[in-house]
Amino acid sequence: MNGRLDELRGPVPSHPHDARAIAALAANPGCARRALLDAAGVDKDRTARHVGFPAPFGQSQFAITRGNVFEALVKENGCAELLRLLRELLGLPVSEVGYQDVENVGAHLRHSHTRALIDRAARESEETAVFYDHPLFSLEIAGHTSYLEPDVVAFQLGGRFHIVEIKSFGVIDGQAEPQKVAGAARQAAVYVLALRTLLAELGHDPERVSHDVVLVCPENFANRPTATLVDVRKQLAVLRRQLARMTRVDRLLEGIPEGLTFDLAPDRDGVPTRSAQELAEALCQVPARYAPDCLSTCDMCMFCRDEARGNGSTDLLGRQVRDELGGVSGMAEALGLAEGTLEPAEGQEEVARLLRTANLLREECLR
Ligand code: SF4
């Protein structure tokens, strides 16, 4: 399977998976295109740009730099500032805490080193309190292993692990933008699930990973950090359900044409050698499941929206409408049934009746 995924990506380094990508993938588990692009480690941002449909979101260089500066501040001096925050928030009964930077061991050993450290911490839980910086977890997504790097894992006395998520969006007068908090909670839920999976694999109780994650943000336009607990139980339940619904990557690979590739191999100037049209045709060979939510979560959104428009797909109307129109494949068919110019096929009688009623109501309103 890995050989075929490498072939799909072409001779460029694999683009790392992160919790944001997994949360977005879980939000649209029926999309084979995204599942394959992610499993193959294809750089979706570059792909979307090359085919002429860049995503309408992404952080500016200024925001990225600001985020890095804030994270460095929270972690400096062995996470001294973080310790202060956790003492207040969780009542950590210690004045000192250990600090392990897993990044120091080298990229190829980070995952096994993380496993060994977490195993030891779980065994010695009565005595130790340690921050783990740059740990590397793994999570199986649709039968394929993805690697993830949370900001920090705090290990508290009493044997509870807490995921710490450091974000650079501000908390103003005790309030942060709900959408941003919701996004951070979805990402943190991915880390909680990955750490629980690791504890279970090591023979420890997975429930020792708290569902309360520590969200650290700057407060009131300054860079002074503040921390809050965010309960991610709901996000965890959704994530589990969606991951269970995903088709396995090996089965998706069976359904694509032989030799298909999303290769973006660059020339000496870093420009992809492949024509945009050829790449777009390759992308269209893997079915997508566009929904308006894609506009805020997936780099491929403008490309897939354009494709759905071209196909007259009901996907453009959102998941709820698409599901309610089950069995009606496109807008033209839905309009034909609503206006009575098309006879419903077998099994479409009920949806056709509803569409005709909706159309009559609309006409009455317009009159
Ligand atoms: S934007 Fe396209 S590739 Fe991404 S999840 Fe939506 S349909 Fe799938």
Side-chain angles (χ1 to χ4, degrees):
M1 176 165 84
N2 285 347
R4 185 66 186 98
L5 289 173
D6 290 345
E7 201 185 334
L8 272 183
R9 185 180 64 254
V12 287
S14 173
H15 195 67
H17 242 94
D18 56 18
R20 186 171 174 266
I22 292 174
L25 183 60
N28 193 357
C31 180
R33 184 175 296 163
R34 173 151 193 156
L36 279 185
L37 287 168
D38 280 351
V42 174
D43 184 340
K44 294 191 296 301
D45 176 43
R46 250 181 107 224
T47 302
R49 284 176 197 283
H50 191 54
V51 292
F53 289 94
F57 53 81
Q59 280 192 316
S60 67
Q61 195 50 48
F62 172 75
I64 293 170
T65 309
R66 186 171 176 267
N68 290 343
V69 169
F70 180 67
E71 186 177 331
L73 177 93
V74 174
K75 289 183 177 179
E76 75 185 0
N77 299 325
C79 295
E81 186 63 13
L82 187 56
L83 175 61
R84 177 189 71 77
L85 292 169
L86 292 190
R87 273 216 303 268
E88 285 169 22
L89 190 70
L90 302 173
L92 254 166
V94 288
S95 55
E96 284 198 0
V97 75
Y99 173 76
Q100 293 267 3
D101 190 351
V102 186
E103 202 168 38
N104 290 338
V105 301
H108 57 297
L109 284 177
R110 271 173 67 202
H111 183 235
S112 53
H113 193 52
T114 300
R115 284 178 69 95
L117 286 173
I118 296 291
D119 188 30
R120 199 167 68 209
R123 287 178 202 286
E124 298 171 356
S125 59
E126 298 311 315
E127 306 297 328
T128 50
V130 182
F131 289 130
Y132 298 96
D133 201 356
H134 304 108
L136 196 66
F137 298 145
S138 64
L139 192 62
E140 198 171 291
I141 311 289
H144 178 74
T145 304
S146 301
Y147 290 93
L148 303 156
E149 184 181 319
D151 293 331
V152 184
V153 179
F155 178 53
Q156 203 207 164
L157 283 173
R160 293 289 272 175
F161 289 89
H162 284 270
I163 294 291
V164 179
E165 188 69 2
I166 303 171
K167 293 288 178 197
S168 58
F169 58 80
V171 175
I172 316 293
D173 295 331
Q175 299 281 324
E177 254 184 69
Q179 234 183 339
K180 290 188 172 162
V181 176
R186 281 195 296 273
Q187 288 172 39
V190 176
Y191 296 134
V192 170
L193 184 61
L195 185 51
R196 284 187 174 178
T197 307
L198 174 57
L199 279 189
E201 283 169 10
L202 293 168
H204 304 293
D205 178 7
E207 296 301 316
R208 287 171 62 177
V209 183
S210 174
H211 54 251
D212 285 328
V213 303
V214 180
L215 180 61
V216 181
C217 296
E219 190 176 26
N220 293 343
F221 305 108
N223 247 4
R224 186 178 159 78
T226 181
T228 21
L229 285 179
V230 180
D231 182 343
V232 299
R233 266 178 291 186
K234 206 171 108 207
Q235 290 80 358
L236 264 174
V238 172
L239 179 67
R240 280 209 190 90
R241 199 167 57 238
Q242 300 290 62
L243 291 181
R245 282 175 57 197
M246 286 181 70
T247 310
R248 287 179 59 87
V249 169
D250 47 5
R251 281 191 39 214
L252 293 177
L253 286 171
E254 281 167 19
I256 61 170
E258 202 146 319
L260 181 78
T261 173
F262 308 124
D263 185 358
L264 271 180
D267 63 15
R268 263 193 283 169
D269 299 324
V271 179
T273 48
R274 196 151 186 223
S275 81
Q277 192 190 339
E278 205 187 302
L279 179 60
E281 283 167 10
L283 287 166
C284 289
Q285 302 216 36
V286 181
R289 195 124 201 257
Y290 178 78
D293 306 7
C294 295
L295 288 172
S296 58
T297 55
C298 182
D299 292 305
M300 296 303 301
C301 58
M302 301 312 272
F303 178 81
C304 297
R305 185 175 71 162
D306 188 69
E307 181 191 45
R309 274 186 182 157
N311 296 340
S313 166
T314 53
D315 292 353
L316 287 164
L317 304 173
R319 285 196 192 107
Q320 197 183 344
V321 179
R322 180 185 64 202
D323 293 348
E324 281 175 15
L325 287 176
V328 177
S329 58
M331 303 262 212
E333 194 177 1
L335 283 173
L337 291 171
E339 288 161 0
T341 55
L342 195 70
E343 276 302 309
E346 201 181 322
Q348 285 184 333
E349 297 84 356
E350 177 61 13
V351 74
R353 189 182 62 75
L354 290 171
L355 282 168
R356 272 200 301 274
T357 309
N359 193 42
L360 283 174
L361 285 172
R362 177 180 172 273
E363 281 176 357
E364 265 176 38
C365 289
L366 289 176
R367 270 200 297 274

